[in-house]
Amino acid sequence: MKLHSSLGPNPRLVRMFLAEKGLTEGSDFERVHYDIITGENRQSDDLTAKNPLQTLPVLELDDGTLLTESWPICEFIEEKHATPNLIGTSAEERAEVRKWVRWFDQDVVVPMTMGFRATGGRPMFEPRMAVVSESAGAELSAMADNQFKWLDGQLGDSNHICCGRFTLADLIVFCFINFGFTVGWKLPEGTDNLARFVETHQKRESAGVWQQPE
């Protein structure tokens, strides 16, 4: 397999998922790094041919099949490598994990990323794609912060979003919060549970691998 990857929370989600499964770069897959800061992913004819959206990650299988979008890629990896289980050992668990992943992706990631692109990330994103106004961006960021506050209450004193163990739901929340820290974003006030959650999972072995390009 070949993993086309870059900086950013979605590529990191897949890299950490692979690491949690015990799959290693070199023996199990090859990693191709793109510099998204310079827009390399949007200038590469090879990547555009593989993914017309020019987004990362892309998982290229040995037979040439191309998988895009981080969540489906993780689902594929889970089906091929069942242990340790990260998406559920029963229909009920899988439904619970997918519920949280979909909620976070839709109700937190969308306003969080759109808000960042229109405010702090505007110099980078405005020349490359349509962004909302700065005032709308601030409103979207506030919406995401409110959802983080709600999630903090749901988390309570647990370090797992659901199922009482580490799952894809924990991984997506960790990756987006952690990436936010790297671009100057902070957890909203009153989210001590989420701060503890991030600090706990930052100690996972998977959190420290493949964070820098070769």
Side-chain angles (χ1 to χ4, degrees):
M1 299 188 296
K2 184 180 292 185
L3 178 65
H4 300 266
S5 186
S6 68
L7 296 176
N10 284 305
R12 188 181 188 191
L13 174 65
V14 172
R15 293 197 302 270
M16 285 187 65
F17 198 92
L18 287 164
E20 290 285 339
K21 291 291 186 179
L23 300 176
T24 59
E25 184 178 356
S27 59
D28 297 301
F29 65 93
E30 174 188 353
R31 179 165 61 104
V32 181
H33 179 82
Y34 295 82
D35 185 350
I36 61 171
I37 302 300
T38 63
E40 183 182 3
N41 55 311
R42 299 185 181 277
Q43 300 161 11
S44 169
D45 292 338
D46 181 59
L47 180 63
T48 300
K50 297 179 190 302
N51 180 12
L53 291 174
Q54 302 174 317
T55 56
L56 296 159
V58 175
L59 185 64
E60 184 174 358
L61 306 186
D62 293 342
D63 65 359
T65 298
L66 297 162
L67 305 179
T68 62
E69 303 301 327
S70 57
W71 179 8
I73 291 173
C74 290
E75 291 265 7
F76 169 82
I77 296 166
E78 176 93 343
E79 290 194 26
K80 293 293 185 179
H81 303 273
T83 55
N85 179 272
L86 296 175
I87 304 182
T89 59
S90 65
E92 291 80 6
E93 278 197 352
R94 287 188 289 275
E96 185 71 7
V97 172
R98 288 165 178 156
K99 175 193 78 173
W100 282 104
V101 172
R102 183 183 185 279
W103 171 80
F104 188 78
D105 218 10
Q106 177 176 270
D107 286 11
V108 183
V109 170
V110 171
M112 181 184 186
T113 55
M114 289 184 67
F116 172 70
R117 289 170 185 169
T119 54
R122 195 176 193 91
M124 175 180 174
F125 287 99
E126 190 172 29
R128 306 180 187 186
M129 62 180 66
V131 295
V132 299
S133 67
E134 290 193 42
S135 59
E139 292 175 352
L140 286 163
S141 295
M143 289 170 58
D145 283 354
N146 285 335
Q147 296 290 49
F148 274 119
K149 292 176 183 177
W150 179 84
L151 180 59
D152 187 88
Q154 296 298 303
L155 184 64
D157 60 4
S158 175
N159 284 317
H160 301 295
I161 301 298
C162 62
C163 299
R165 58 185 174 81
F166 189 76
T167 68
L168 179 60
D170 298 308
L171 195 49
I172 190 172
V173 173
F174 171 82
C175 285
F176 273 88
I177 291 178
N178 201 271
F179 181 74
F181 293 162
T182 69
V183 295
W185 176 84
K186 297 180 180 179
L187 279 166
E189 290 186 12
T191 54
D192 293 345
N193 294 326
L194 280 171
R196 183 201 66 244
F197 168 92
V198 173
E199 183 179 1
T200 297
H201 294 303
Q202 185 65 53
K203 299 173 185 176
R204 302 185 73 86
E205 184 177 352
S206 64
V209 298
W210 311 324
Q211 296 312 307
Q212 299 297 328
E214 295 178 350

